[in-house]
Amino acid sequence: MEVRVQNIRKEFGRFPALDDVSLDIRSGELIALLGPSGSGKTTLLRLIAGLESPTDGTIFFGAEDASKKTVQQRNIGFVFQHYALFRHMTVLDNVSFGLKVRPSSRRPPAADIRRRALDLLELVQLSGLEKRYPAQLSGGQRQRVALARAMAVEPNVLLLDEPFGALDAQVRKELRKWLREIHDRTGHTTVFVTHDQEEALELADRVVVMSKGAIEQVGTPDDIYDHPVSPFVYGFIGQSNCIDVTLSSGEIWFEDRPIGLRAASEPDGVATLYFRPHDIELIDGCGGCLAGLVTASRRVAGTRHLEIDLGKAHPPVEIELPPERASSTDHTRVAFRPTKWTLFRKEGDVAAVSRQAEAPVSELARTGT
Amino acid sequence: MALDTSTAPTASSKLVKAATSETRVARLTLIAVALGFVALFLLLPLATVFIEAFRKGPAEFATALRDPETFSAIRLTLIVAAISVPLNLVFGVAASWAIAKFEFKGKAFLTTLIDLPFSVSPVISGLVFVLLFGANSALGPFLQKHGIHILFAVPGLVLATVFVTFPFVARELIPLMQEQGTSDEEAALSLGATGWQTFWHVTLPNIKWGLLYGVLLCNARAMGEFGAVSVVSGHIRGQTNTMPLQVEILYNEYNFVAAFAVAAVLALLALVTLVLKTALEIRYSDEIAASRRH
């Protein structure tokens, strides 16, 4: 089912956890809410579920206004971070709980409930464990019971709060793949919360990047990675470097020299240049480039990461190169130029006003390729 | 039971001692001190009660208990406990639920208030009700006019007992419920369960062991309470004397066998409670362990 979040605001006491958030979730999609802790992603999930009520704003399930409905009436499936399995019930009783508590007019016969619960346990590959208690299961198995329990009520939307947060890395990877398969097979509209970008980018159809109670960007994993719309997204997703630069008649200057990048339509002033460590080319002989001494070099799997000191006033930048290109550059001077980059400007900086550390950020200024 | 960990490896244990194992002497001394203390301060007095009760033989013991005043005291104690324990059970669950699962103003105040009966002397607790319902109080004339007897009657005894045993269930449940959090309840609600279904099928099973301990403690104290009850009872023989009060009266009359006979019954009730608790713990040990561990 399609879920539309409109201008939602949520305050805890006087602290706004979410500020004017709007989001359209398409029917049948698997969407991730990604952000650091305190970004409001779990609050948004709980608001959709009806476990919290918004201070302001509306949530639609299809064409229906769900804001006025209780959590029971919304018919959602919620998987909690620590699963919240009923510890005194067997796996089978846990999975059938949602059907057993229905009023008799809507409750399927006991035999049907049992069959449906067993079918779900088969779907989550836990056949044969229906008589176990939660304490007798591994973390990954508990997680799957929680998912089966949530799916048993045929929810309008499946909501998962940090579904893999409490699992070790190996199990996490397996379950991630498996969740994608389950989603493709059952087609439930699914929203999950995560702080793990790898998880979000790998698993979701679309990713919602959140920060400080607001949505920074919504897009496919490719969009989010290749075209970040804000410095926050650039910095939060993947690796990135940022350096302070100056614009002068369409040229980008670093300190006292142009670096060979042009932003023709941009007015003069200061700006911040963002680029990813692997989006660079090495240049022989510097006619417009960034240059500095290699201060550290690390081999990470198939690439070599070089840390480069651009000068005392700047934080070091990191670039990634194929190992064969980098072997000769240790402790030497390298010259390079970003091949894909983005300029962000702070409001008021256009006329070369003095820089402010935490000033609000204006629209994406210009993206170069 | 404490010893069996040390006996396993023989040859290697001489070389490298496990960090947590004490020498044999230290261990035996600790165990001896603990057992000695328990024997001296718990078992000896308890044994004395039974020895004194049977000093003049089982026949005297039985005669003492057949006394109508004593019989009425036993009955009254059971009635008071039967009323006040369920009252505090309901209150304890409600208060713990409110404190553990909701955020509201005055929560810290309520938590402190629950502890009040623990910190106030029972005699004062009793006195409060005398001041509240006594003939000279504001309510006194009204009660008298309508023939409502609170002081020197069962209602007064129940009130004083409820007040004194107020914290037992709540104190037991609050930390337990706080630790368990609200996600189990949220899970049940999200699956469509109503508030009552959530309480019966999820909350209650989660807290049942804590609740049982709380009720047992509450019951033990309700039957054994002396101070508060003494103030409101009026010591009317055969009418408002509970067992602890009856013990005191008999003792003051140098009727030692009868006094210890009643005391023995009271101790027996406490022992039954303890045995019951232990039996349940053994019977459901797996389940208790599972509910704690998870």
Short mmCIF file of all heavy atoms in Angstrom, two decimals, chain A residues 16-61:
data_model
loop_
_atom_site.label_atom_id
_atom_site.label_comp_id
_atom_site.label_asym_id
_atom_site.label_seq_id
_atom_site.Cartn_x
_atom_site.Cartn_y
_atom_site.Cartn_z
N PRO A 16 12.31 19.44 18.80
CA PRO A 16 11.69 18.90 17.59
C PRO A 16 12.50 17.71 17.04
O PRO A 16 13.65 17.87 16.65
CB PRO A 16 11.72 20.08 16.61
CG PRO A 16 12.81 20.96 17.09
CD PRO A 16 13.07 20.66 18.55
N ALA A 17 11.90 16.54 17.06
CA ALA A 17 12.58 15.36 16.55
C ALA A 17 12.42 15.27 15.03
O ALA A 17 13.29 14.76 14.34
CB ALA A 17 12.01 14.10 17.20
N LEU A 18 11.30 15.79 14.54
CA LEU A 18 11.07 15.85 13.10
C LEU A 18 10.47 17.20 12.79
O LEU A 18 9.57 17.67 13.50
CB LEU A 18 10.09 14.76 12.66
CG LEU A 18 10.58 13.33 12.59
CD1 LEU A 18 9.43 12.41 12.23
CD2 LEU A 18 11.71 13.17 11.59
N ASP A 19 10.96 17.82 11.71
CA ASP A 19 10.48 19.15 11.40
C ASP A 19 10.01 19.21 9.96
O ASP A 19 10.81 19.19 9.04
CB ASP A 19 11.62 20.16 11.67
CG ASP A 19 11.09 21.58 11.68
OD1 ASP A 19 9.85 21.74 11.64
OD2 ASP A 19 11.91 22.50 11.73
N ASP A 20 8.70 19.23 9.78
CA ASP A 20 8.10 19.40 8.47
C ASP A 20 8.64 18.39 7.46
O ASP A 20 9.24 18.76 6.45
CB ASP A 20 8.32 20.83 7.97
CG ASP A 20 7.37 21.16 6.82
OD1 ASP A 20 6.33 20.50 6.73
OD2 ASP A 20 7.69 22.08 6.04
N VAL A 21 8.39 17.12 7.72
CA VAL A 21 8.90 16.06 6.86
C VAL A 21 7.78 15.55 5.96
O VAL A 21 6.68 15.27 6.43
CB VAL A 21 9.45 14.90 7.72
CG1 VAL A 21 9.64 13.65 6.89
CG2 VAL A 21 10.75 15.32 8.38
N SER A 22 8.07 15.46 4.67
CA SER A 22 7.11 14.89 3.73
C SER A 22 7.80 13.81 2.93
O SER A 22 8.96 13.96 2.53
CB SER A 22 6.56 15.95 2.77
OG SER A 22 5.87 16.93 3.50
N LEU A 23 7.09 12.70 2.70
CA LEU A 23 7.69 11.58 2.00
C LEU A 23 6.61 10.73 1.35
O LEU A 23 5.60 10.42 1.98
CB LEU A 23 8.49 10.73 3.00
CG LEU A 23 9.13 9.45 2.49
CD1 LEU A 23 10.24 9.77 1.50
CD2 LEU A 23 9.69 8.64 3.65
N ASP A 24 6.80 10.40 0.09
CA ASP A 24 5.88 9.47 -0.58
C ASP A 24 6.53 8.11 -0.68
O ASP A 24 7.60 7.98 -1.28
CB ASP A 24 5.54 9.98 -1.99
CG ASP A 24 4.55 11.14 -1.95
OD1 ASP A 24 4.17 11.52 -0.82
OD2 ASP A 24 4.18 11.64 -3.02
N ILE A 25 5.88 7.12 -0.11
CA ILE A 25 6.39 5.76 -0.20
C ILE A 25 5.51 5.01 -1.18
O ILE A 25 4.29 4.95 -1.02
CB ILE A 25 6.38 5.08 1.19
CG1 ILE A 25 7.31 5.83 2.14
CG2 ILE A 25 6.78 3.61 1.07
CD1 ILE A 25 7.09 5.53 3.60
N ARG A 26 6.14 4.46 -2.21
CA ARG A 26 5.35 3.82 -3.26
C ARG A 26 4.95 2.42 -2.85
O ARG A 26 5.65 1.75 -2.10
CB ARG A 26 6.16 3.75 -4.56
CG ARG A 26 6.50 5.11 -5.11
CD ARG A 26 7.51 5.00 -6.23
NE ARG A 26 8.14 6.29 -6.49
CZ ARG A 26 9.38 6.43 -6.94
NH1 ARG A 26 10.12 5.35 -7.17
NH2 ARG A 26 9.88 7.63 -7.15
N SER A 27 3.83 2.01 -3.41
CA SER A 27 3.33 0.68 -3.09
C SER A 27 4.32 -0.38 -3.55
O SER A 27 4.81 -0.35 -4.68
CB SER A 27 1.98 0.48 -3.79
OG SER A 27 1.44 -0.74 -3.40
N GLY A 28 4.65 -1.29 -2.66
CA GLY A 28 5.51 -2.43 -3.00
C GLY A 28 6.99 -2.14 -2.99
O GLY A 28 7.78 -3.04 -3.26
N GLU A 29 7.38 -0.93 -2.68
CA GLU A 29 8.82 -0.67 -2.71
C GLU A 29 9.48 -0.98 -1.37
O GLU A 29 8.83 -1.07 -0.33
CB GLU A 29 9.13 0.77 -3.14
CG GLU A 29 9.03 1.82 -2.07
CD GLU A 29 9.52 3.18 -2.57
OE1 GLU A 29 10.44 3.23 -3.41
OE2 GLU A 29 8.97 4.20 -2.11
N LEU A 30 10.79 -1.16 -1.43
CA LEU A 30 11.59 -1.39 -0.23
C LEU A 30 12.42 -0.12 -0.03
O LEU A 30 13.28 0.21 -0.85
CB LEU A 30 12.49 -2.60 -0.45
CG LEU A 30 13.43 -3.04 0.67
CD1 LEU A 30 12.68 -3.30 1.95
CD2 LEU A 30 14.18 -4.29 0.25
N ILE A 31 12.10 0.62 1.00
CA ILE A 31 12.71 1.93 1.15
C ILE A 31 13.44 2.01 2.49
O ILE A 31 12.97 1.47 3.49
CB ILE A 31 11.63 3.04 1.01
CG1 ILE A 31 12.26 4.42 0.87
CG2 ILE A 31 10.62 3.02 2.14
CD1 ILE A 31 11.29 5.48 0.38
N ALA A 32 14.60 2.64 2.48
CA ALA A 32 15.42 2.72 3.69
C ALA A 32 15.41 4.13 4.24
O ALA A 32 15.51 5.10 3.48
CB ALA A 32 16.86 2.32 3.38
N LEU A 33 15.26 4.25 5.55
CA LEU A 33 15.47 5.54 6.21
C LEU A 33 16.87 5.49 6.80
O LEU A 33 17.14 4.72 7.71
CB LEU A 33 14.44 5.77 7.32
CG LEU A 33 12.96 5.67 6.94
CD1 LEU A 33 12.07 5.93 8.16
CD2 LEU A 33 12.62 6.66 5.83
N LEU A 34 17.75 6.31 6.25
CA LEU A 34 19.16 6.24 6.64
C LEU A 34 19.59 7.55 7.27
O LEU A 34 19.27 8.62 6.77
CB LEU A 34 20.00 5.96 5.38
CG LEU A 34 21.52 6.00 5.50
CD1 LEU A 34 22.00 4.87 6.38
CD2 LEU A 34 22.16 5.89 4.11
N GLY A 35 20.30 7.46 8.36
CA GLY A 35 20.80 8.68 8.99
C GLY A 35 21.56 8.34 10.25
O GLY A 35 21.48 7.23 10.75
N PRO A 36 22.32 9.30 10.75
CA PRO A 36 23.03 9.06 12.01
C PRO A 36 22.03 9.01 13.16
O PRO A 36 20.87 9.37 12.98
CB PRO A 36 23.95 10.27 12.14
CG PRO A 36 23.31 11.33 11.33
CD PRO A 36 22.54 10.66 10.24
N SER A 37 22.48 8.59 14.34
CA SER A 37 21.53 8.54 15.45
C SER A 37 21.10 9.95 15.82
O SER A 37 21.88 10.89 15.73
CB SER A 37 22.15 7.83 16.66
OG SER A 37 23.33 8.47 17.03
N GLY A 38 19.83 10.09 16.15
CA GLY A 38 19.29 11.40 16.45
C GLY A 38 18.78 12.14 15.23
O GLY A 38 18.39 13.29 15.32
N SER A 39 18.78 11.46 14.07
CA SER A 39 18.32 12.15 12.87
C SER A 39 16.81 12.09 12.72
O SER A 39 16.25 12.72 11.84
CB SER A 39 19.00 11.56 11.63
OG SER A 39 18.72 10.18 11.55
N GLY A 40 16.15 11.31 13.56
CA GLY A 40 14.69 11.25 13.50
C GLY A 40 14.14 10.11 12.69
O GLY A 40 12.93 10.00 12.51
N LYS A 41 15.02 9.21 12.23
CA LYS A 41 14.54 8.14 11.35
C LYS A 41 13.63 7.16 12.07
O LYS A 41 12.59 6.77 11.54
CB LYS A 41 15.72 7.41 10.70
CG LYS A 41 16.77 6.89 11.67
CD LYS A 41 18.02 6.47 10.91
CE LYS A 41 19.00 5.69 11.75
NZ LYS A 41 19.42 6.33 13.01
N THR A 42 14.00 6.80 13.30
CA THR A 42 13.14 5.87 14.05
C THR A 42 11.83 6.54 14.45
O THR A 42 10.78 5.91 14.41
CB THR A 42 13.89 5.35 15.29
OG1 THR A 42 15.02 4.60 14.85
CG2 THR A 42 13.01 4.45 16.14
N THR A 43 11.90 7.82 14.77
CA THR A 43 10.67 8.56 15.09
C THR A 43 9.72 8.54 13.91
O THR A 43 8.52 8.30 14.07
CB THR A 43 11.01 10.01 15.47
OG1 THR A 43 11.97 9.99 16.52
CG2 THR A 43 9.78 10.75 15.93
N LEU A 44 10.26 8.75 12.72
CA LEU A 44 9.41 8.74 11.52
C LEU A 44 8.76 7.37 11.34
O LEU A 44 7.56 7.26 11.06
CB LEU A 44 10.25 9.11 10.28
CG LEU A 44 9.51 9.14 8.95
CD1 LEU A 44 8.32 10.08 9.01
CD2 LEU A 44 10.45 9.56 7.81
N LEU A 45 9.54 6.31 11.56
CA LEU A 45 9.02 4.95 11.42
C LEU A 45 7.89 4.70 12.43
O LEU A 45 6.85 4.13 12.09
CB LEU A 45 10.15 3.94 11.64
CG LEU A 45 9.84 2.51 11.22
CD1 LEU A 45 9.93 2.37 9.72
CD2 LEU A 45 10.78 1.52 11.88
N ARG A 46 8.12 5.16 13.66
CA ARG A 46 7.11 4.93 14.71
C ARG A 46 5.86 5.78 14.47
O ARG A 46 4.77 5.39 14.87
CB ARG A 46 7.71 5.24 16.08
CG ARG A 46 8.76 4.21 16.50
CD ARG A 46 9.49 4.63 17.76
NE ARG A 46 8.58 4.75 18.89
CZ ARG A 46 8.22 3.74 19.68
NH1 ARG A 46 8.71 2.54 19.47
NH2 ARG A 46 7.39 3.93 20.66
N LEU A 47 6.03 6.92 13.82
CA LEU A 47 4.87 7.74 13.48
C LEU A 47 4.04 7.06 12.40
O LEU A 47 2.81 7.07 12.45
CB LEU A 47 5.33 9.12 12.99
CG LEU A 47 5.74 10.11 14.09
CD1 LEU A 47 6.50 11.27 13.50
CD2 LEU A 47 4.51 10.61 14.84
N ILE A 48 4.71 6.46 11.42
CA ILE A 48 3.98 5.74 10.38
C ILE A 48 3.22 4.57 11.01
O ILE A 48 2.08 4.29 10.68
CB ILE A 48 4.94 5.23 9.28
CG1 ILE A 48 5.61 6.42 8.56
CG2 ILE A 48 4.20 4.37 8.27
CD1 ILE A 48 6.70 6.04 7.59
N ALA A 49 3.85 3.92 11.98
CA ALA A 49 3.22 2.77 12.64
C ALA A 49 2.03 3.19 13.50
O ALA A 49 1.11 2.41 13.69
CB ALA A 49 4.25 2.04 13.50
N GLY A 50 2.10 4.41 14.02
CA GLY A 50 1.07 4.82 14.97
C GLY A 50 1.50 4.59 16.40
O GLY A 50 0.69 4.67 17.31
N LEU A 51 2.77 4.26 16.61
CA LEU A 51 3.27 4.09 17.98
C LEU A 51 3.54 5.44 18.63
O LEU A 51 3.65 5.55 19.84
CB LEU A 51 4.54 3.24 17.98
CG LEU A 51 4.35 1.77 17.60
CD1 LEU A 51 5.69 1.09 17.37
CD2 LEU A 51 3.56 1.03 18.67
N GLU A 52 3.68 6.47 17.79
CA GLU A 52 3.76 7.84 18.28
C GLU A 52 2.72 8.64 17.51
O GLU A 52 2.35 8.26 16.40
CB GLU A 52 5.14 8.47 17.99
CG GLU A 52 6.32 7.69 18.45
CD GLU A 52 6.67 7.94 19.90
OE1 GLU A 52 5.99 8.78 20.54
OE2 GLU A 52 7.61 7.29 20.39
N SER A 53 2.27 9.74 18.10
CA SER A 53 1.36 10.58 17.31
C SER A 53 2.05 11.89 16.99
O SER A 53 2.77 12.44 17.82
CB SER A 53 0.05 10.81 18.06
OG SER A 53 0.35 11.34 19.33
N PRO A 54 1.86 12.36 15.76
CA PRO A 54 2.58 13.56 15.33
C PRO A 54 2.05 14.81 16.03
O PRO A 54 0.88 14.88 16.39
CB PRO A 54 2.30 13.62 13.83
CG PRO A 54 1.03 12.86 13.64
CD PRO A 54 1.00 11.81 14.72
N THR A 55 2.93 15.79 16.22
CA THR A 55 2.52 17.07 16.74
C THR A 55 1.68 17.80 15.68
O THR A 55 0.73 18.49 15.98
CB THR A 55 3.75 17.92 17.11
OG1 THR A 55 4.64 17.11 17.88
CG2 THR A 55 3.37 19.15 17.91
N ASP A 56 2.07 17.57 14.44
CA ASP A 56 1.42 18.24 13.33
C ASP A 56 1.62 17.41 12.07
O ASP A 56 2.61 16.70 11.97
CB ASP A 56 2.05 19.63 13.16
CG ASP A 56 1.02 20.64 12.71
OD1 ASP A 56 -0.14 20.23 12.47
OD2 ASP A 56 1.37 21.82 12.59
N GLY A 57 0.68 17.52 11.14
CA GLY A 57 0.86 16.82 9.88
C GLY A 57 -0.02 15.60 9.74
O GLY A 57 -0.71 15.21 10.67
N THR A 58 0.00 15.01 8.54
CA THR A 58 -0.90 13.91 8.23
C THR A 58 -0.14 12.75 7.60
O THR A 58 0.87 12.96 6.93
CB THR A 58 -1.98 14.35 7.21
OG1 THR A 58 -1.99 15.78 7.14
CG2 THR A 58 -3.34 13.86 7.61
N ILE A 59 -0.66 11.55 7.84
CA ILE A 59 -0.11 10.36 7.19
C ILE A 59 -1.25 9.65 6.48
O ILE A 59 -2.30 9.39 7.09
CB ILE A 59 0.55 9.42 8.22
CG1 ILE A 59 1.80 10.08 8.81
CG2 ILE A 59 0.91 8.09 7.58
CD1 ILE A 59 2.38 9.40 10.01
N PHE A 60 -1.07 9.40 5.18
CA PHE A 60 -2.10 8.70 4.42
C PHE A 60 -1.66 7.28 4.12
O PHE A 60 -0.51 7.05 3.72
CB PHE A 60 -2.37 9.42 3.09
CG PHE A 60 -3.10 10.72 3.26
CD1 PHE A 60 -2.40 11.92 3.33
CD2 PHE A 60 -4.49 10.75 3.35
CE1 PHE A 60 -3.06 13.12 3.50
CE2 PHE A 60 -5.16 11.95 3.51
CZ PHE A 60 -4.45 13.13 3.58
N PHE A 61 -2.56 6.33 4.33
CA PHE A 61 -2.36 4.96 3.84
C PHE A 61 -3.28 4.85 2.63
O PHE A 61 -4.48 4.81 2.78
CB PHE A 61 -2.78 3.93 4.90
CG PHE A 61 -1.75 3.68 5.96
CD1 PHE A 61 -0.76 4.61 6.25
CD2 PHE A 61 -1.76 2.48 6.67
CE1 PHE A 61 0.20 4.37 7.22
CE2 PHE A 61 -0.80 2.24 7.65
CZ PHE A 61 0.17 3.18 7.92
#
